[in-house]
Structure formats: structure tokens, C-alpha cells
Amino acid sequence: MTTPTFDINAAIQALREGKDLTGKDGILTPLIKQLTEAALAAELDGHLASTEGANRKNGKTTKTVKSPLGNFELNTPRDRAGTFEPQLVKKHQTQLTDEMERKIIGLFSLGSSYQDIRAHIEDMYGMSVSNGTVNAITDKLLPELQAWRERELEPLYPVIWLDAIHYKIKENGRFISKAVYTILALNVDGKKELLGLYLSDNEGAHHWLSVLTDLYNRGVKDILIACVDGLKGFPEAIATIYPQTEVQLCVIHQIRNSMKYVASKHQKAFMADLKCVYKAATLNAAEMALDELETKWGDKYPVVIKSWRNKWALLSVYFKYPDYVRTAIYTTNAVEAVHRQFRKLTKTKGGFANENSLLKLLYAGILKASERWTHPIQNWNLTLSQLSIHFEGRLENHIDL
């Protein structure tokens, strides 16, 4: 086997002169080349020793190989019989490791543009990559995304949050707005889990029904509490698939919608009175505060009061629980936090060329965000105990008691 002839003294001198260790013309690149060629020569020697009949070395072939330390010309040995198949760097392999691919996908998952990714790769590895190459590498997420979207889910989730976010996607030569449906859940261990992403032309109860049907078909047979915004027909859609599920309308959505109809000069005072409703200690206290709100503001803002009255049965569900349970369920803040992460990824992009270009970016963001979802939410054991009481008989087969 040929011994590498890396000149350590020349490398030290180059380092003193301020040359880079890695990248184009990097100090260590010749060492990687020599070590790789030595390993391939050893592979061929082993192959020849184990092969019966006449066979011998037959020169070398040359190809350019990309490595994390820079590009180099690799001389791969051949045998006369043509039976040698190198394993370290296979015949059509042009990258020494997949580190660069991992780096590109890592930058992509942070929302970096293709231009920024290309500049970063050029700076790190001294190699130029095209937008097409970056796109081809990030497209490798698509089969993984599809498997994730079709994976089997747990039979029961104590809490889920459902919401939608909208993006511009090019279709038939023009950009149209489409809704991405996001389903975030708490599993029986109290850990967050994104159950799926679904794309539709617009947000509506009919489309949510198809989303819930897909969850059911993927194994979700029971949901204790579903937290949703005020979309008309949403609770009915949930009841169609999960008739036993308790629906909690997002109080924050209701407040935002209410304030659209309150004059700016009254908003501060109205909010102070409204806070007495949704922050009340008990359901009875909340209903008394709502009566007082109507007495004071009903003549000026009858539409707002009527909305609270009509939706009160679904807005007030959380009052039956202690504070530590209420905090988790009375708003859709948990799933909106996921959407904030999505917006960070997509803020520099006015629109997307196709659905896949959007979904693979959001999926990369999910992988990044879920790295932090390793612990149960605060007070989960107490919350689980409360849910076991309120939903008697539905949790026992899914948790260790």
C-alpha cells in the first residue's frame, strides 16, 4: 500500500502564511486526497488477493471529488478483469461525504435563501453550487415528508390545536392564496407533536372535515379537547368525526374579532371590562361579568355582545378546569407559535413556485422546531389527572397508572 506523502513542514509554513485549512486550495485537501487514494489502493490489493484466476492492477481513472475540505482530483485504481468495485468512493460517487448535503439542508431549515446557501457553501468548502443543485438536495426531503404525512398516529390525543396559515403559490402562471392546515397535539406524555400539514385552496369547515377524516384513518380514534378558532361550522365538522370531543373556541381569536367593532376611544375601557369575563375565577363569575358587560356596552356594541352570547357554550368550556389546565386550552397560542416559526422561514419569500417548494420548507422547519419538544408541558401530571376525572374511562387504556 502506498504511504501518504503529506508534507507536514509545507503545511505548517502555509498555515503561518495565513492560508486556509479547508476550502479551495486548503492546506488539508492534499492530505485527504492521499489518504483516500491509499485506502482505495488497499481495497484493490484485498480484492486481488481474494480473486481466483489471473487478475492484476490496470492503471487508474481520474475524477473530481467534492469533500468538506475542498475539491480534489481522485485517482481510483482499476483491475484488468474489471471486477473491482471500490467501496470508500464508489464508481459514480462524486462527494466524499454527505456533510455538505447536511449543511445545505440545515441552512435551508433556518430559512436561508438559495443565494445565501450558495455563498455559505462557497465560503466553507470553496466549491460553487448552483440553484439547481441546492434544489435537488432539498428535494431529498420530499420522500421523507410524504412518509411523515402518512405515518400511523397514536389512538388518543388529550389535546389538539387546529389552525391555518396562508401562502401564495404559483399555479397556471399566477400566484393564488392557499391555506396550510396545521394540527398540533399533546400526546399522552404531555409532549407536543405536529400531526400533519395539509394544503387546500381555502380555509373552511368542509376542508377541515377532510383533514379530520385523514387523522382518523391514520389511527386517531379519540381526542379529548380540540382548541380551534371561530371558523363557522368548525365545531360541527369535529363532531362529525369525533362526537365525544370537547371543543374549546379560542378566546384570543374572539377578543381580536370583537375589538374590530369597538371604537378606538372605547377600546381600553372595553378591554378592561372584557378581561373580567375571560379571566374570571369561575364560570358563574364569568357569566355575571358578561351580564355587566352587556349592561354597560350593549347599546353601543350589540353585535359584539351577541357574538359572545351565541358562542358562550364553546368559549366557556375551560372554566370547568383548574388554572394549569385552562392555560393550555383556552387559546390556540401553541399552534400559532408554530406558525410564527413558519413565518420566520418564509418571510423573505413573496410566493412559492409550487406546493412542494413550500411544504418541504415547512417540513424542514418542523424538524428544527420539534428538537425542543423533548419535555412534557408544565404541570402535565396534574393536567392528566384532571382529564382522567373529566373524561372518565377514556384515558385509562392509554397511560400507565
Side-chain angles (χ1 to χ4, degrees):
M1 185 178 87
T2 304
T3 302
T5 57
F6 181 71
D7 190 335
I8 186 65
N9 292 323
I12 292 172
Q13 181 59 36
L15 192 60
R16 285 173 177 165
E17 292 172 359
K19 291 186 177 180
D20 292 334
L21 283 172
T22 63
K24 188 177 181 180
D25 301 322
I27 295 169
L28 295 180
T29 303
L31 175 61
I32 297 300
K33 169 183 166 66
Q34 291 173 18
L35 288 173
T36 304
E37 290 178 350
L40 290 172
E43 278 191 35
L44 177 58
D45 289 341
H47 174 74
L48 294 175
S50 63
T51 302
E52 295 182 0
N55 194 10
R56 58 188 175 85
K57 296 178 181 179
N58 187 35
K60 298 175 181 179
T61 58
T62 301
K63 64 180 176 182
T64 300
V65 172
K66 299 174 182 178
S67 86
L69 299 181
N71 297 359
F72 61 86
E73 295 298 314
L74 179 68
N75 296 313
T76 303
R78 300 179 302 189
D79 66 324
R80 182 166 289 278
T83 56
F84 174 54
E85 293 285 346
Q87 297 303 304
L88 178 63
V89 183
K90 295 180 171 58
K91 282 187 176 180
H92 301 291
Q93 182 180 338
T94 57
Q95 283 191 193
L96 194 59
T97 74
D98 62 357
E99 180 180 333
M100 188 181 74
E101 288 193 5
R102 293 197 302 270
K103 178 62 68 176
I104 286 174
I105 289 175
L107 291 167
F108 180 69
S109 70
L110 294 173
S112 300
S113 67
Y114 279 17
Q115 182 178 354
D116 288 342
I117 291 172
R118 291 172 57 195
H120 195 83
I121 295 301
E122 176 76 31
D123 184 55
M124 285 190 67
Y125 302 124
M127 63 179 70
S128 177
V129 294
S130 65
N131 283 348
T133 298
V134 175
N135 194 57
I137 290 172
T138 56
D139 273 353
K140 292 183 178 181
L141 288 170
L142 292 174
E144 185 181 332
L145 164 63
Q146 190 60 27
W148 176 82
R149 295 176 76 186
E150 295 175 354
R151 76 195 189 282
E152 188 173 349
L153 299 172
E154 294 181 15
L156 178 142
Y157 287 90
V159 182
I160 66 168
W161 298 271
L162 305 99
D163 202 4
I165 185 171
H166 297 82
Y167 287 103
K168 297 289 185 181
I169 298 174
K170 196 170 187 178
E171 195 171 276
N172 298 323
R174 62 189 183 93
F175 285 97
I176 63 173
S177 180
K178 292 199 173 187
V180 176
Y181 296 82
T182 310
I183 300 94
L184 181 68
L186 282 183
N187 60 28
V188 292
D189 296 320
K191 297 177 183 178
K192 292 178 183 177
E193 179 184 343
L194 204 58
L195 304 187
L197 290 175
Y198 301 83
L199 202 59
S200 175
D201 289 342
N202 52 66
E203 184 181 6
H206 173 74
H207 294 291
W208 273 116
L209 182 61
S210 66
V211 168
L212 293 163
T213 301
D214 182 71
L215 291 184
Y216 189 88
N217 291 337
R218 289 167 58 202
V220 182
K221 304 308 179 187
D222 195 8
I223 297 166
L224 301 186
I225 304 172
C227 310
V228 304
D229 63 16
L231 181 68
K232 188 176 181 180
F234 208 161
E236 291 78 10
I238 294 170
T240 301
I241 308 297
Y242 298 103
Q244 290 185 293
T245 297
E246 193 171 79
V247 177
Q248 168 67 57
L249 289 187
C250 176
V251 173
I252 301 303
H253 272 84
Q254 178 69 12
I255 293 169
R256 289 175 189 160
N257 291 334
S258 296
M259 298 312 291
K260 294 176 184 176
Y261 301 96
V262 177
S264 56
K265 63 181 180 180
H266 294 147
Q267 285 188 358
K268 186 175 181 180
F270 188 92
M271 271 300 300
D273 293 335
L274 186 57
K275 190 173 183 179
C276 296
V277 177
Y278 67 88
K279 285 290 188 179
T282 65
L283 177 60
N284 185 56
E287 291 176 341
M288 290 176 62
L290 184 57
D291 289 340
E292 292 172 5
L293 186 76
E294 182 170 12
T295 299
K296 183 174 180 180
W297 299 101
D299 291 340
K300 285 187 175 68
Y301 305 112
V303 172
V304 175
I305 303 301
K306 183 179 179 180
S307 176
W308 280 83
R309 291 292 190 191
N310 290 344
K311 298 177 181 179
W312 185 245
L314 297 177
L315 285 167
S316 61
V317 168
Y318 68 102
F319 282 110
K320 69 174 70 173
Y321 301 107
D323 285 343
Y324 50 83
V325 181
R326 295 182 191 185
T327 302
I329 68 171
Y330 87 105
T331 78
T332 55
N333 280 351
V335 70
E336 288 181 24
V338 174
H339 287 170
R340 283 195 294 274
Q341 177 72 19
F342 287 169
R343 289 188 182 96
K344 287 180 182 178
L345 295 176
T346 60
K347 64 183 178 182
T348 60
K349 300 167 178 63
F352 291 85
N354 51 56
E355 293 181 357
N356 280 342
S357 64
L358 168 62
L359 289 174
K360 71 180 179 181
L361 178 56
L362 298 185
Y363 176 64
I366 290 166
L367 296 179
K368 198 73 179 174
S370 61
E371 292 175 359
R372 301 190 295 271
W373 299 344
T374 56
H375 300 290
I377 65 167
Q378 193 173 9
N379 297 313
W380 177 244
N381 288 336
L382 290 173
T383 299
L384 199 60
S385 297
Q386 284 289 325
L387 295 178
S388 296
I389 294 170
H390 285 278
F391 299 95
E392 186 176 358
R394 291 167 64 183
L395 270 170
E396 280 73 3
N397 294 332
H398 304 282
I399 59 176
D400 297 326
L401 296 175

